[in-house]
Amino acid sequence: MAADVRLALDLANGRATGEAADAVRARLRTYIVALADGADLHAAGLTDLRARDIATNTVRHARAVAQDEAHDLAANLRLLAKSVDHLSRYAAAAQQRSRW
């Protein structure tokens, strides 16, 4: 996942079109779907209301970005990459918490 995030950001700065960019975009969307439920668990478990709102809205936005049709391909790659980055951290935090 981390490699795809870096690749997406590189492609967004250079060539955000073509088969490689489309493939990365599809993988990032798959990651968002896979991570979103765990990220939601993390958000729901936050006691600080502001942090919970931010995390909840981040997950909601990531899901929306994953479903959106890309008009600006470079911006879409950046949004998908950043969404995967955030959700992977949230999902990892949820897993850590569930081990306790």
Side-chain angles (χ1 to χ4, degrees):
M1 269 190 255
D4 279 339
V5 167
R6 286 189 301 276
L7 178 57
L9 293 173
D10 287 343
L11 288 169
N13 288 328
R15 183 167 166 80
T17 60
E19 288 181 36
D22 291 343
V24 171
R25 199 175 282 109
R27 287 194 303 271
L28 292 172
R29 285 186 172 111
T30 301
Y31 299 150
I32 289 170
V33 170
L35 294 167
D37 288 342
D40 264 337
L41 286 174
H42 168 71
L46 293 171
T47 55
D48 181 281
L49 294 179
R50 179 164 158 54
R52 184 183 317 152
D53 285 346
I54 291 169
T56 299
N57 287 323
T58 299
V59 175
R60 185 178 304 127
H61 184 259
R63 282 184 166 130
V65 168
Q67 293 177 357
D68 277 351
E69 182 180 325
H71 297 289
D72 180 337
L73 298 177
N76 181 255
L77 273 173
R78 285 185 194 94
L79 288 170
L80 288 167
K82 290 299 185 177
S83 293
V84 169
D85 185 48
H86 287 294
L87 295 189
S88 65
R89 284 188 276 135
Y90 290 169
Q95 278 186 335
Q96 283 279 71
R97 191 177 16 223
S98 72
R99 290 183 189 152
W100 294 67

